[in-house]
Amino acid sequence: MPSDARLLLLDRDEVQSLLLPDDVLEAVREAFVLHSHGEGRVFPVVREPLVTGGVFGIKSGDVQAQGLLGFKAAGFWPDNRRLGGAPHQATIMLIDPATGRPVCLLDGNAVTTMRTGAAGGLGLQQLARADSTSACVFGTGVQARVQLSFALRLLPALVEVRYATVDGQRDAAFEAQFAHRCDILPARDRNAAVSESDIVITATPGAGALFDTQAVQPGTHLNCVGADTKGKRELPEGLLERVRLFVDDQAQARQIGETQWAADMPCIELGDLLTGKARADRHPTDITVFDMTGLALQDLTVARLLHQRAGAAGVGSSIPWAW
């Protein structure tokens, strides 16, 4: 058997140095399009609680025509904060589909963060009202920051942001990151902030409803990120029955996303909007929701981009990997 194969390793800093928002946006768009055309497969998700208090998951898939195969092993370990680490942990592996040999192993934290932000941005482009000027963001962590960053990047009319923290306190660092791009202040009242916003972004651990159903006004669009496991939710009971629902993957959203709380609701996949298989035809008074559970294909298209870019730039550590 061949013994001269090599495995490329990309650590956190190397991955971050190679990630560019516009390139990630295009890679994520490609993932949605491949999914819509049935050219990219998404395999059943593993998402299981651990006795340690963490949640472990595997997302995997392939694009057979492109020779793209791999998985992301990831999850949420809340006790990591006490240890000085990030609670979300992810590792991505690309595999040669012809042989099963691993070709690239890379840190998946930054990939997960940015590809999810890019997916949220595409959702806003497709579903939010074009005249949207105000947003309410729930959460100020890594995912809330990237969601807002892509929102401001892709919606130039967005100028006013209100945010809500878990303890109701001001987050000076969060404000400082965006103060030069918008008018940003903490939300004094969550329901009032929602009712006064054109866009609502929920990026929390998904521990429960963040606001009341009646706070959501006609014409609002909501990007929902935090529900990614059975039992999680961010939206209040009864809201999904009032909205037009859009998802990244129907089966996955009904299993672990916000859609699990209204699994019989009709929904449209975002990829079908991008390929023209479906149309949003938003009316000014429609309430729209994009339930984001994260596609394995997004991780793979971005990881392939990084693998190619690292090879061209001579970035990463190449180690022997006999097979």
Side-chain angles (χ1 to χ4, degrees):
M1 295 293 289
S3 60
D4 59 349
R6 302 188 73 83
L7 173 65
L8 180 65
L9 306 179
L10 297 175
D11 65 22
R12 179 195 63 185
D13 294 338
E14 291 162 341
V15 167
Q16 289 179 335
S17 73
L18 297 169
L19 277 176
L20 299 175
D22 288 342
D23 292 341
V24 173
L25 194 67
E26 288 309 306
V28 170
R29 182 188 295 273
E30 180 189 8
F32 278 122
V33 169
L34 288 167
H35 188 45
S36 175
H37 287 320
E39 298 171 9
R41 296 189 296 173
V42 174
F43 304 147
V45 172
V46 173
R47 192 78 175 171
E48 298 294 338
L50 305 175
V51 295
T52 60
V55 177
F56 175 70
I58 297 175
K59 289 182 177 179
S60 58
D62 72 353
V63 183
Q64 296 184 69
Q66 297 182 4
L68 181 60
L69 171 69
F71 66 87
K72 179 175 74 177
F76 186 75
W77 284 265
D79 286 348
N80 283 4
R81 291 192 182 96
R82 180 174 51 81
L83 301 173
H88 287 96
Q89 292 295 318
T91 304
I92 299 172
M93 179 174 284
L94 296 178
I95 297 169
D96 179 355
T99 63
R101 181 179 65 82
V103 294
C104 185
L105 181 69
L106 59 153
D107 180 273
N109 286 5
V111 172
T112 301
T113 296
M114 193 171 289
R115 66 84 155 146
T116 308
L122 291 172
L124 291 176
Q125 282 186 320
Q126 293 293 314
L127 299 169
R129 295 195 334 264
D131 61 351
S132 297
T133 61
S134 58
C136 177
V137 180
F138 285 86
T140 59
V142 170
Q143 194 50 235
R145 294 177 185 227
V146 75
Q147 289 293 325
L148 182 54
S149 180
F150 271 97
L152 293 168
R153 186 184 194 89
L154 299 174
L155 300 178
L158 187 60
V159 294
E160 181 179 294
V161 174
R162 299 295 175 262
Y163 69 92
T165 60
V166 65
D167 57 6
Q169 300 299 307
R170 194 164 197 155
D171 189 325
F174 184 73
E175 290 183 30
Q177 182 172 339
F178 298 103
H180 67 292
R181 302 171 67 181
C182 62
D183 172 23
I184 184 166
L185 289 171
R188 290 188 297 251
D189 178 276
R190 292 184 172 206
N191 285 332
V194 169
S195 68
E196 295 166 0
S197 297
D198 302 314
I199 294 167
V200 176
I201 298 171
T202 61
T204 75
L210 299 170
F211 47 84
D212 297 334
T213 301
Q214 62 269 23
V216 182
Q217 300 302 304
T220 305
H221 171 70
L222 301 94
N223 265 9
C224 302
V225 185
D228 59 2
T229 306
K230 289 180 181 178
K232 283 190 174 185
R233 74 183 311 164
E234 295 178 302
L235 300 184
E237 185 175 354
L239 179 61
L240 289 179
E241 287 75 11
R242 297 173 51 201
V243 313
R244 296 185 61 201
L245 183 58
F246 298 84
V247 300
D248 44 19
D249 179 86
Q250 292 193 29
Q252 192 169 289
R254 291 187 171 114
Q255 178 188 5
I256 61 173
E258 201 69 51
T259 306
Q260 68 184 281
W261 303 104
D264 295 330
M265 281 282 295
C267 57
I268 296 173
E269 292 186 352
L270 187 73
D272 289 345
L273 297 183
L274 295 174
T275 60
K277 284 187 175 183
R279 295 177 55 180
D281 291 328
R282 168 184 257 288
H283 299 289
T285 58
D286 285 342
I287 300 172
T288 51
V289 167
F290 180 30
D291 181 13
M292 304 167 55
T293 55
L295 293 178
L297 290 174
Q298 297 165 357
D299 299 309
L300 298 185
T301 55
V302 175
R304 178 183 58 190
L305 171 70
L306 295 173
H307 183 211
Q308 294 170 343
R309 184 165 289 165
V315 173
S317 302
S318 179
I319 64 172
W321 196 267
W323 59 289

